[in-house]
Amino acid sequence: MSERRARQASKNGRKSAWRRALTPPSAPPAQSAVPRSGPLPPAPDEPADSIVHAALYRDGVRVSTPATLADTFRELRDEPDGMAWIGLARPTEAELLSLAAEFDLHPLAVEDALEAHQRPKLERYGDTLFVVLSAARYLDAVEEVDFGELHVFIGPDFLITVRHGAAPDLSAVRRRMEETPELLKLGPEAVLYAILDAVVDGYAPVVEGVQNDVDEIETEVFRGDPEVSRRIYELSREMVEFQRATRPLVGMLHSLMAGFAKYGTDEELQRYLRDVADHVTHTSERVDGFRQALTDILTVNATLVTQQQNAEMRALAEAGFEQNEEIKKISSWAAILFAPTLVGTIYGMNFEDMPELGWSFGYPFAIGLMGVVCVSLYVIFKRRDWL
């Protein structure tokens, strides 16, 4: 930290290339060119709800709680061995540019922190480390997974968290670190590992909630719930998002572990990070298992739905066949009864000049004709299995 401050003091008002890139065109040159060791620059417009918390620490103990970014910058300059921990929630562009100018943050990292919607990643810009994390929390009321994005800047004497979304809540991390000053005095890296641990531990309730959802979905599938397909699809989309949050984190932690020797990481922090890496790997495997399970459940559900549809179609076909048989019987008897009705109707018209009216065998002949026609139709329909 002393070397960094010596480099800062040697600038003598000269802006770095990154500060020139981050300085808004309309900003007055006199204000943007002020070095850290010089007079305090004017404080930017800061919404009251953007700065969640800012604190200054020395040897693991809080020595100050500045109310604004400007106060934080000033007090950190006056504290050679101090460390600033600044927490922001959805900051404005002016606030991020102020931080970038004060701590010489890379413009690409600042742009990512401002726009959000980034995949988890780890980037090194000189002596500054930029980390993007995706936190998650399970909402019991609506049975959904809510994701939040966290950007962390880590330097020799500062740590800045930029939160987009409700998760994660870092107040517990701050309390935990303040209760263990021997860990906090190890510097910003110790805070980073504590944040990583909090984000990863936050995955555990999500995993439990998703496991319950998967169990319920399995029950609904075999119960034939018509709404289960929609629930499977929605949970599958959440698992895709969950995979995007956990898979890159595994590689990030291994990258940090690979740099233990190069950056002289404390042995206690090394053990701490390995534990976090184990938890991340376990969570990532569980999420992969959920995704595969949902895919299998969706296949089973599609099979059951197809079987149900086939059974319904078979039942409809059987009902149609039975109806067709009944129609055949009705039609057959209607045809048989139609023959005598036709003969009787003709001979019942009472015309004077009708043939066979004076024939003594006319009545037996008509009755016989009706019988012959009815019997013939009955035999024909019987052979065709209509009766």
Side-chain angles (χ1 to χ4, degrees):
M1 289 186 294
S2 60
E3 293 179 359
R4 178 177 179 272
R5 292 186 178 278
R7 291 196 302 269
Q8 290 285 75
S10 65
K11 291 182 179 179
N12 295 326
R14 175 173 50 85
K15 289 195 294 183
S16 68
W18 306 130
R19 293 195 182 186
R20 289 196 298 270
L22 289 166
T23 302
S26 59
Q31 295 181 2
S32 60
V34 176
R36 286 192 63 178
S37 58
L40 181 67
D45 295 333
E46 298 167 355
D49 58 348
S50 293
I51 304 177
V52 178
H53 203 97
L56 193 66
Y57 299 89
R58 184 179 65 246
D59 295 330
V61 178
R62 183 188 296 215
V63 296
S64 177
T65 307
T68 65
L69 290 179
D71 293 339
T72 305
F73 300 158
R74 182 180 62 252
E75 294 183 19
L76 183 59
R77 293 191 195 101
D78 298 335
E79 191 66 46
D81 297 326
M83 180 192 74
W85 183 349
I86 303 172
L88 303 176
R90 298 185 182 90
T92 64
E93 183 177 2
E95 289 171 339
L96 283 179
L97 290 177
S98 175
L99 289 167
E102 180 68 22
F103 296 111
D104 204 16
L105 305 179
H106 197 281
L108 294 179
V110 174
E111 181 181 357
D112 289 345
L114 184 62
E115 294 181 357
H117 304 293
Q118 305 294 321
R119 293 177 64 87
K121 63 180 181 178
L122 181 149
E123 299 285 349
R124 286 191 181 273
Y125 300 100
D127 58 357
T128 301
L129 187 66
F130 177 62
V131 178
V132 179
L133 302 172
S134 183
R137 60 174 182 164
Y138 187 78
L139 305 179
D140 290 321
V142 293
E143 295 185 340
E144 292 180 356
V145 182
D146 178 50
F147 295 93
E149 194 169 321
L150 180 66
H151 301 250
V152 187
F153 295 89
I154 304 97
D157 59 349
F158 67 90
L159 182 134
I160 304 168
T161 59
V162 180
R163 198 180 70 203
H164 295 272
D169 182 9
L170 299 180
S171 58
V173 178
R174 190 183 293 270
R175 289 194 299 269
R176 172 188 174 187
M177 295 300 292
E178 291 180 350
E179 291 172 358
T180 54
E182 65 278 4
L183 184 61
L184 184 56
K185 70 179 181 180
L186 295 178
E189 278 190 340
V191 181
L192 171 62
Y193 298 149
I195 292 174
L196 287 170
D197 186 56
V199 171
V200 174
D201 286 347
Y203 293 154
V206 179
V207 170
E208 294 179 1
V210 172
Q211 181 66 67
N212 292 334
D213 288 346
V214 172
D215 294 340
E216 292 176 0
I217 286 174
E218 288 179 341
T219 303
E220 292 174 359
V221 164
F222 290 101
R223 195 170 56 197
D225 192 331
E227 298 295 329
V228 70
S229 296
R230 181 182 182 88
R231 189 176 181 185
I232 295 173
Y233 173 73
E234 292 176 348
L235 189 57
S236 297
R237 290 187 61 184
E238 292 178 350
M239 289 305 96
V240 171
E241 190 75 17
F242 209 177
Q243 280 184 326
R244 291 175 181 172
T246 56
R247 277 187 176 179
L249 195 54
V250 176
M252 289 168 51
L253 291 172
H254 283 89
S255 297
L256 285 174
M257 289 189 294
F260 282 164
K262 180 178 179 180
Y263 296 100
T265 305
D266 184 84
E267 292 184 2
E268 182 68 18
L269 294 183
Q270 293 183 24
R271 289 190 288 267
Y272 192 90
L273 183 60
R274 291 192 190 96
D275 180 68
V276 176
D278 290 341
H279 291 171
V280 170
T281 302
H282 177 71
T283 301
S284 181
E285 292 173 351
R286 291 289 303 276
V287 175
D288 292 341
F290 289 148
R291 181 118 188 249
Q292 183 60 46
L294 288 171
T295 301
D296 296 340
I297 291 173
L298 188 60
T299 302
V300 172
N301 182 63
T303 302
L304 294 176
V305 169
T306 301
Q307 292 177 349
Q308 183 179 359
Q309 291 177 344
N310 291 338
E312 292 175 353
M313 293 178 64
R314 184 166 55 252
L316 289 174
E318 292 175 354
F321 178 77
E322 293 177 358
Q323 291 178 353
N324 190 36
E325 291 299 314
E326 295 297 327
I327 291 175
K328 286 180 181 180
K329 293 179 181 179
I330 294 174
S331 300
S332 299
W333 286 113
I336 293 173
L337 295 176
F338 176 74
T341 302
L342 177 63
V343 175
T345 302
I346 293 174
Y347 280 94
M349 291 188 292
N350 297 324
F351 289 106
E352 291 183 1
D353 297 329
M354 286 184 65
E356 294 95 17
L357 286 179
W359 187 28
S360 58
F361 294 100
Y363 177 75
F365 175 76
I367 296 299
L369 179 61
M370 294 180 189
V372 169
V373 173
C374 291
V375 171
S376 299
L377 290 176
Y378 179 83
V379 172
I380 292 173
F381 292 144
K382 192 69 175 177
R383 288 180 177 179
R384 295 184 178 183
D385 292 331
W386 284 31
L387 293 174

